[in-house]
Amino acid sequence: RIGRKPVVITGLAGVAVASFCFGLSPSFWQILLSRAIAGGLSGNVAVIRSIIGEITDETNQAQAFPLEGVTWCIGCVIGPLIGGMLSHPAERYPSLFGNFQLLKDKPYLLPCFASSIITVVSILSSIFFLEEVIPSTLPSKVLASKCRDRQAEVSSTASSPTECSPTRSYQSLPQEDDLAKAHSARPNTLALLNKRVVRLLMAGFMVSFMWIANDTIFVLWAYTPASLGGFQRNPSEIGGALASAGFLGILLASFGFSELHKRFHTLPIFVFTMSMYPVVFATIPILGMIARSSLKSPNGSEDPSTLGCLWAGVAFVLTAAKIASMSFTANALMVKHFTESPELAGGMFGLSQSAAAIAEATGPAIASYADIGRESRLGGYVHYCGHGGGSHKEFAGTEDVMTGNGTIDASKDTAVHVASPTFPLETSGDDGIEEQPLLPNKTKPTPLPKLQLAIACFARLAEPIAYTQIFPYINQMVEELHVTDDPAEVGFYSGLV
């Protein structure tokens, strides 16, 4: 109705305000409210993915969509570093901030303020450089001008004229005669829901649930005392570990996914990456048992050999988790290839993000409720394997529905089958579907619109920074707010945040 650009700017403004309010919050209910506001006003992941889908085509989408994952990983590097290094600045850097009473009273304001500044820069870049990609939301004069510029460009580079029409590609814009068609009735988002789309959304839900549960469990385990089976690290160490993992995520998203996609296609990559979560959830309780039994020596010091073993285990867990995070890119490609018309892109990605938001709202609370210190609830360590088992069960049987070339056997009806990247738009009979398998395109890729991709990705950067910058200190913050006096309860309240 109003286009992509206004929604992006509104979402970024919401993230900036909510992050700043989080740092000023004096009570637990206020930090909950700040996070809720941030979530309510930030749906930019769906919009950014829609923009990427509209400024690219089938020949270069496998190159473009991983860039959104790269941006998220960069944010996962910057965010924990900001949170770990800038929390309690008056105590950590007394020569610089020791005279600022506000930072003594609000020890977590500085990382939140830094996150808000980055978001404000993203807002300014979007205002001045991000171009609207929905023709029907542009003023007629602007749209006609863009079309004439595009036609002049095409005529200078091609022997035959190319018609401007509202297709999924950003490079094509409608002619003035098509303006009325561009303002035609828009599809109802709820009308997109059918059996296959619902199951695709379920797959997206599982992607986000496994990811957020893993992040919650790792941060909680890393902060929990060794006597309760945790690693007992301080916020700066946790932030450093998460930032190091973010660098690995950048490499995987930049080079790993596109190379794997050329060889194995989207569906096998999706199944393989999701299968890494059971490995992660099975490894953390083993590390917890090692920490509880031998991390602390009788004199209270840490045993160096055990500490080295645990850090090696942390490196393995974070590596496996970053491999698993490539499932986000695979899932985004599946959603994009379910979308035949650009008018449906926003609705499809919006539904996908709504499913992910439900997972992100429930995952931390469920994971932290069954944390490592709750031996009386859900059997202590057993919950880790429960999360991983759920992930594996959701995608079991995938090999049965895959054919040799990576397409889908339509005779099988499983969760993976219905999440297959086909267009469920043309039907024949009761259940027949004219499928277009998601395979790498053999034609020469269209050049990427680099400037618009860069601006869109920079707008995407604000959310992971604001989201992850609280990870290193959220458990300490809950303790300092005196929400509970029981150390085993801290993780539950951190998970709610």
Side-chain angles (χ1 to χ4, degrees):
R1 290 176 169 80
I2 64 174
R4 311 285 191 229
K5 185 173 178 177
V7 178
V8 169
I9 294 171
T10 302
L12 290 173
V15 171
V17 173
S19 295
F20 188 73
C21 292
F22 186 90
L24 292 173
S25 300
S27 63
F28 182 72
W29 73 264
Q30 286 178 315
I31 66 175
L32 281 179
L33 180 61
S34 299
R35 294 292 275 184
I37 292 173
L41 293 177
S42 179
N44 277 348
V45 58
V47 185
I48 296 300
R49 288 176 179 175
S50 298
I51 291 174
I52 294 175
E54 287 158 349
I55 65 178
T56 59
D57 56 34
E58 289 84 353
T59 66
N60 56 16
Q61 284 172 0
Q63 295 175 302
F65 271 98
L67 296 177
E68 188 258 343
V70 171
T71 304
W72 179 270
C73 292
I74 293 174
C76 290
V77 171
I78 299 174
L81 285 178
I82 289 176
M85 302 303 294
L86 298 184
S87 59
H88 281 274
E91 299 174 9
R92 195 185 300 271
Y93 313 107
S95 60
L96 292 176
F97 304 108
N99 295 326
F100 292 89
Q101 187 61 39
L102 178 62
L103 296 181
K104 293 181 180 179
D105 297 336
K106 307 292 182 183
Y108 305 104
L109 175 60
L110 188 58
C112 295
F113 178 72
S115 171
S116 297
I117 290 297
I118 295 173
T119 306
V120 169
V121 176
S122 297
I123 293 173
L124 294 176
S125 67
S126 298
I127 291 174
F128 292 109
F129 301 110
L130 185 64
E131 296 186 12
E132 182 56 67
V133 295
I134 299 184
S136 59
T137 63
L138 293 173
S140 300
K141 293 183 178 180
V142 175
L143 190 59
S145 175
K146 285 180 175 290
C147 187
R148 286 193 294 268
D149 293 342
R150 175 59 183 157
Q151 287 177 327
E153 178 186 345
V154 171
S155 62
S156 64
T157 58
S159 57
S160 59
T162 301
E163 180 185 5
C164 289
S165 58
T167 65
R168 70 178 60 186
S169 177
Y170 168 76
Q171 287 90 350
S172 298
L173 288 167
Q175 296 177 348
E176 295 181 64
D177 293 342
D178 296 328
L179 291 178
K181 296 180 181 179
H183 288 274
S184 59
R186 297 173 179 85
N188 187 341
T189 300
L190 294 180
L192 299 174
L193 293 175
N194 56 48
K195 185 178 180 181
R196 290 199 166 197
V197 171
V198 168
R199 293 188 178 181
L200 174 61
L201 298 181
M202 291 172 60
F205 173 91
M206 290 300 299
V207 171
S208 295
F209 186 90
M210 291 296 105
W211 169 75
I212 193 66
N214 169 70
D215 274 2
T216 303
I217 289 171
F218 175 80
V219 172
L220 176 58
W221 172 78
Y223 182 80
T224 298
S227 60
L228 295 176
F231 197 18
Q232 199 168 336
R233 299 297 98 187
N234 59 50
S236 61
E237 289 177 304
I238 297 173
L242 293 174
S244 300
F247 281 113
L248 175 61
I250 293 172
L251 294 176
L252 290 174
S254 299
F255 308 105
F257 186 88
S258 59
E259 292 301 319
L260 289 173
H261 191 267
K262 294 176 183 177
R263 298 170 182 265
F264 301 109
H265 320 312
T266 303
L267 182 58
I269 295 174
F270 182 70
V271 174
F272 170 74
T273 53
M274 285 298 295
S275 297
M276 297 302 295
Y277 282 117
V279 177
V280 172
F281 291 128
T283 303
I284 292 180
I286 296 175
L287 297 178
M289 288 186 285
I290 295 174
R292 172 181 285 183
S293 62
S294 57
L295 178 59
K296 293 292 185 179
S297 61
N299 60 6
S301 61
E302 294 182 338
D303 179 65
S305 59
T306 302
L307 185 62
C309 176
L310 289 174
W311 275 118
V314 166
F316 173 78
V317 166
L318 293 177
T319 299
K322 287 305 174 183
I323 293 174
S325 68
M326 288 194 292
S327 59
F328 278 98
T329 302
N331 182 255
L333 283 174
M334 290 179 178
V335 174
K336 178 64 180 70
H337 281 265
F338 256 104
T339 309
E340 177 71 14
S341 166
E343 293 289 342
L344 303 177
M348 282 294 295
F349 279 112
L351 289 173
S352 176
Q353 180 59 18
S354 296
I358 295 173
E360 292 170 9
T362 57
I366 293 174
S368 59
Y369 184 80
D371 66 46
I372 53 180
R374 300 173 189 279
E375 295 184 352
S376 62
R377 294 179 183 171
L378 306 185
Y381 291 114
V382 176
H383 82 281
Y384 288 108
C385 298
H387 284 301
S391 171
H392 187 270
K393 181 179 179 181
E394 177 71 16
F395 300 98
T398 302
E399 293 81 0
D400 295 335
V401 299
M402 290 173 51
T403 60
N405 62 357
T407 58
I408 308 300
D409 182 358
S411 63
K412 304 294 179 70
D413 185 20
T414 68
V416 175
H417 163 57
V418 296
S420 62
T422 56
F423 300 115
L425 301 173
E426 301 294 333
T427 61
S428 58
D430 295 332
D431 210 20
I433 296 209
E434 185 178 309
E435 297 190 347
Q436 301 180 21
L438 178 58
L439 300 175
N441 198 305
K442 302 301 183 181
T443 60
K444 184 178 180 180
T446 304
L448 294 172
K450 296 180 181 179
L451 176 60
Q452 289 304 299
L453 273 177
I455 299 301
C457 289
F458 188 49
R460 179 74 173 104
L461 182 65
E463 184 178 342
I465 292 177
Y467 177 74
T468 61
Q469 62 93 9
I470 76 167
F471 281 8
Y473 62 76
I474 182 58
N475 294 291
Q476 185 178 5
M477 187 179 189
V478 169
E479 285 185 339
E480 293 177 359
L481 290 174
H482 303 291
V483 179
T484 177
D485 294 327
D486 184 358
E489 297 285 341
V490 171
F492 172 68
Y493 291 101
S494 300
L496 290 180
V497 177

